[in-house]
Amino acid sequence: MAKIRIKNIGKVVALLMRGIGATLRFEVEDRAGAFNTSRTGWIWAFWHNRMFVIPYVHELWFAHIPGAILSSPSGDGQIIADACAAFGFEAARGSSSKPQKGLAALIMMAEKVKEGRDIGITPDGPRGPVYQLQPGIIKLGQLTGGTIVPVRVEYSHAIRFKTWDQFLLPLPFSKVRVIFEPTMTVPRKMAEEEFEAERLKLELAMGRG
C-alpha cells in the first residue's frame, strides 16, 4: 500500500509541475550550446533545491533527447523517480551512504551517458549539505568522458521550504531564468589534488542562487 501511495504522490507532483510550469515565463542564457541540434546527451548538474522545473524544461526544449535521472532509493527518491517518469525520464536508484548501491547506480548512469541520454544529477543530494558538490558526478565524468553542463535556475518569486536543501517552489506566473553555463569534461586519470580541483570548479560554476 505504501508503494502505491508513493507512486500516486509522484503522479500528483508531475501534474503540479506541469500546471505551474505552464504559467511560468522562461528566460534562457545558453552559454554552453545546449540548443545545438547536433549535440548528443550531456550530464546536467543542478542543485537539489532547483530540481522542480528541470523535467518540465527538458520536455519543453529537449524532448528529442531521451533523459535519465539519478535518485535515491528512499521514499522521497521514489516520488522523484515517478514524477520524472511522467516526463520521459528513466531513473537509476543509488545512495551515497550505501557504497554498493551507489556503485551500481554509477554504472547504470554510465550506460545511459553512452546511450546519448541527457542525465540529470543533483550533486548535493540526497542529504546535503546544500550547495556542496559530492564527488559522484566527477567520477561519472571520469568513467564516461561525458560532457558536464552546470545548469543554474533562478526564480523571481518562490516559496522556500524549511528542508535540508531549502527547496524552492516557484510561484505561478513567476519569471524563471535558466542558465546553461559553459560545459566541462574531466580527465579519466587524475591525482587526488586534480580531482578536488575539478570538483571545486564545477561547484563554483553552479553558483548558489
Side-chain angles (χ1 to χ4, degrees), residues 26-35 42 61-62 149-154 176-182:
F26 288 97
E27 292 183 358
V28 62
E29 284 189 43
D30 185 12
R31 303 169 183 171
F35 289 86
W42 285 351
W61 296 331
F62 307 107
V149 58
V151 183
R152 293 170 51 199
V153 178
E154 300 171 357
V176 181
R177 190 164 171 241
V178 182
I179 305 167
F180 296 94
E181 294 288 3

Side-chain angles (χ1 to χ4, degrees), residues 49 70 77 129-130 141 155 171 174:
N49 62 11
L70 177 63
V130 63
Y155 303 128
L171 292 174
S174 297

Side-chain angles (χ1 to χ4, degrees), residues 60-104:
L60 183 66
W61 296 331
F62 307 107
H64 59 288
I65 302 176
I69 61 161
L70 177 63
S71 66
S72 74
S74 65
D76 287 346
Q78 183 66 57
I79 293 171
I80 292 170
D82 290 336
C84 289
F87 293 86
F89 282 79
E90 291 187 7
R93 313 295 298 281
S95 172
S96 57
S97 60
K98 297 179 180 179
Q100 286 186 333
K101 287 188 177 182
L103 179 60

Side-chain angles (χ1 to χ4, degrees):
M1 288 296 294
K3 287 185 177 180
I4 293 173
R5 285 196 294 270
I6 288 173
K7 183 165 286 190
N8 287 338
I9 292 172
K11 291 178 179 178
V12 170
V13 170
L15 289 173
L16 182 65
M17 293 161 77
R18 288 192 189 282
I20 292 179
T23 73
L24 299 175
R25 294 173 291 124
F26 288 97
E27 292 183 358
V28 62
E29 284 189 43
D30 185 12
R31 303 169 183 171
F35 289 86
N36 186 334
T37 55
S38 65
R39 80 165 178 88
T40 55
W42 285 351
I43 302 168
W44 292 36
F46 47 91
W47 295 128
H48 200 274
N49 62 11
R50 310 302 167 100
M51 70 168 69
F52 184 82
V53 298
I54 295 294
Y56 185 88
V57 161
H58 191 272
E59 184 179 70
L60 183 66
W61 296 331
F62 307 107
H64 59 288
I65 302 176
I69 61 161
L70 177 63
S71 66
S72 74
S74 65
D76 287 346
Q78 183 66 57
I79 293 171
I80 292 170
D82 290 336
C84 289
F87 293 86
F89 282 79
E90 291 187 7
R93 313 295 298 281
S95 172
S96 57
S97 60
K98 297 179 180 179
Q100 286 186 333
K101 287 188 177 182
L103 179 60
L106 183 66
I107 292 171
M108 189 181 299
M109 283 284 96
E111 292 174 352
K112 301 305 177 185
V113 171
K114 292 174 182 177
E115 289 174 7
R117 292 176 178 267
D118 274 337
I119 309 301
I121 295 180
T122 56
D124 59 341
R127 297 180 181 178
V130 63
Y131 302 137
Q132 184 170 310
L133 191 135
Q134 303 300 319
I137 190 169
I138 302 298
K139 291 178 180 177
L140 181 61
Q142 271 189 297
L143 185 62
T144 63
T147 299
I148 300 173
V149 58
V151 183
R152 293 170 51 199
V153 178
E154 300 171 357
Y155 303 128
S156 63
H157 299 90
I159 298 171
R160 187 181 294 272
F161 288 83
K162 294 181 179 179
T163 53
W164 72 262
D165 63 347
Q166 303 167 40
F167 188 85
L168 291 167
L169 177 66
L171 292 174
F173 306 102
S174 297
K175 182 171 69 176
V176 181
R177 190 164 171 241
V178 182
I179 305 167
F180 296 94
E181 294 288 3
T183 61
M184 60 180 284
T185 56
V186 298
R188 291 183 183 270
K189 293 183 179 180
M190 291 185 286
E192 186 175 338
E193 304 81 28
E194 294 171 313
F195 187 97
E196 173 58 19
E198 294 292 335
R199 188 200 68 79
L200 183 59
K201 176 182 174 183
L202 179 56
E203 184 176 277
L204 292 174
M206 292 177 66
R208 298 199 170 193

